[in-house]
Amino acid sequence: MDTNIDALTTIFTEFYYWVTVVMMFLIHVGFCMYEVGASRRRNHMHTLMKNTMLIPLVTISFFFFGWWIYFAFPNGPFIFEGKGLDYAAATAARPWDPSMGTNLSDHISGVFWAAFLLFSWTAASIVSGSVIERIRSGAFWILAVVIGSVAWIIDASWGWHWDGWMVKILGYHDAYASGVIHAIAGGFALGILVVLGPRLGKFREDGTPRDIPPHNPWLVTIGLFLIYTGFWGFYAACNVPIISPEAIGGQITGVTWTATNIYLAPTTLSAITFNFLMSLSGGLMAAYVVSKGDSFWTYSGGLAGIITASAGNDLYHPIQAMFIAAIGVVIIYKMHYWVERKFKIDDAVGAVAVHGYAGFVGLIIAGFVLWGQPSSPYEGYAAINPLGMFIGAVIMFGVLGFLPAYIISKILNGMGLLRVPHKVELEGLDFEANEAYQAAVNDVIAAETAMVK
Amino acid sequence: MSTNGMTDWAVDLADVAAIYPFQGSEMLMYILALVFWIGWHVIQMRQEAAELDRDAKADRDGSHTKAWIAKY
């Protein structure tokens, strides 16, 4: 920082990402409230702890190796021009490198790492809701580390990195993570659910599904409101706030500084503010009508609307964002119930639909609407196109989402470590704690009652 | 195929303005958006009327209504 403008840019960027991290914490608070509200009373604490403890586990594993993966894997390895791991680019992300600690010559690594880490929490937290009330915490936490510190960060390295092979070859464009967070998390959740099975009582003997309503719809909706709030941080964190053409080093000429998306292609905070709010609105309106005013689906539809439009929300016109959100919500609502009936999948919070299908559909739509636009400011990259975006959606949802979750869940299930015993599921996962709590309450009441003269 | 006038970023950003797709279709998009908005109100009011009708025909003896009132 040898000039004032350099110092200001650096400190502004540092503070910018730091603020996004604080805002993104609200996403996790929202997910916890949402899940606890959706679970039944006898499973509250287990549900809350399951989601809470992914925070430290994903954090330390992301420090240990997740961050390094992002910089080492842009070529596949061996997918782009036969190139292997990029050890040189990943040097500063090694946990033992001086950049990964208090360092006066590096103001960015810590906040940039944390912004990515909060995405990791979100990916794992999306999965958490769909498997409530019957998964073992130990199994979930292993799966949380797999998606939070391995699978999603590989997809980020491939498709959410200025040098990623999917951007170069496929013209993959996913500015606000329709695919790299939501489609993968939805696919991952589905991979677990196929092996885990439905909650006891979810399906009648004739195979028709029962509705298991949330014990506290109010808490669920406030949770979703908080997720909306945290999403502002998520969106801001997807941008580079200020950078010069010289620092980008691509084809851009002139001296005009700009904000960019993660691919270093220009956009503005103003653009994503327009599009965030219009896609939220399109999603809410479509969900209200298609669900006939159901509050759970209306709120979820607002989120799904944003997720559907997110791939191209750096470029869309606000009205396009609104329509894309509305279309996506109708599709995912219908898909959720079709999959539930057809394949007996019990997704307790609709996460596979709201995140997985919405992300997948959003990528497909972006491929058509943004067809021909440059995916990158660098020369030689494929332009955005429908086929590349479809392949990208399959990679996100299927290859990096569904597949690893299915395989690991099969292994855990084979070892008897995936699902709680049926008796315990009926008693409630908090049974022991609830019994102890009630005994303590009874003891205190009896003791104090006896003191009354 | 690009509909935002850009096929690459070999430009001076000082010379670039709007970059959204389908430029020139703003008025058409605006009209479609108005139709979406008005249509939403029409559908919503029909759904609401149907729900209110069902509610009005339900619970003829008032027992459920009294129970909900008692729950406050």
Side-chain angles (χ1 to χ4, degrees), chain B residues 5-6 13 15 18-19 21 23 29 36 39 44 49-50 53 60 62-63 65 67 70:
Chain B
M6 301 194 68
L13 294 181
D15 300 328
I19 56 170
Q23 290 175 34
M29 288 195 292
F36 175 72
Q44 186 277 330
D53 193 43
R60 290 291 184 194
S63 59
T65 306

Side-chain angles (χ1 to χ4, degrees), chain A residues 252-253 285 289 315 320 373, chain B residues 4 9 11-12 20-21 40 47:
Chain A
I252 301 169
T253 61
M285 289 170 72
V289 166
L315 293 169
Q320 293 164 352
Q373 297 194 36
Chain B
N4 73 342
W9 279 107
V11 293
D12 185 336
Y20 51 81
W40 187 88
Q47 288 184 345

Side-chain angles (χ1 to χ4, degrees), chain A residues 94-153:
Chain A
R94 295 175 304 181
W96 55 86
D97 191 88
S99 285
M100 294 297 283
T102 310
N103 187 329
L104 294 185
S105 68
D106 184 347
H107 288 248
I108 301 301
S109 285
V111 289
F112 206 42
W113 169 81
F116 273 69
L117 170 65
L118 270 286
F119 285 37
S120 300
W121 294 4
T122 297
S125 200
I126 290 166
V127 176
S128 177
S130 60
V131 296
I132 55 172
E133 301 193 312
R134 75 279 207 199
I135 197 168
R136 286 180 184 239
S137 293
F140 173 75
W141 291 328
I142 289 170
L143 290 157
V145 168
V146 171
I147 186 168
S149 292
V150 181
W152 111 262
I153 199 66

Side-chain angles (χ1 to χ4, degrees), chain A residues 9 18 33 48 55 69 81 154 160 303 378 397 414:
Chain A
T9 305
W18 185 86
M33 291 179 71
L48 182 61
I55 293 176
I69 289 173
E81 294 180 347
I154 290 175
W160 208 62
L303 196 58
Y378 299 100
F397 188 93

Side-chain angles (χ1 to χ4, degrees), chain A residues 274-275 278-279 316-325, chain B residues 25-34 36:
Chain A
F274 267 138
N275 291 342
M278 289 294 275
S279 54
Y316 293 147
H317 186 281
I319 293 176
Q320 293 164 352
M322 180 189 76
F323 278 125
I324 289 166
Chain B
S25 306
E26 292 86 349
M27 183 53 72
L28 175 63
M29 288 195 292
Y30 175 65
I31 292 167
L32 291 173
L34 288 178
F36 175 72

Side-chain angles (χ1 to χ4, degrees), chain A residues 16 176 230-239 272 276 279 306 309-310 313:
Chain A
Y16 175 94
Y176 303 98
F231 247 61
W232 287 100
F234 186 96
Y235 257 54
C238 292
N239 274 10
I272 66 173
F276 181 97
S279 54
I306 299 168
S310 284
N313 260 351

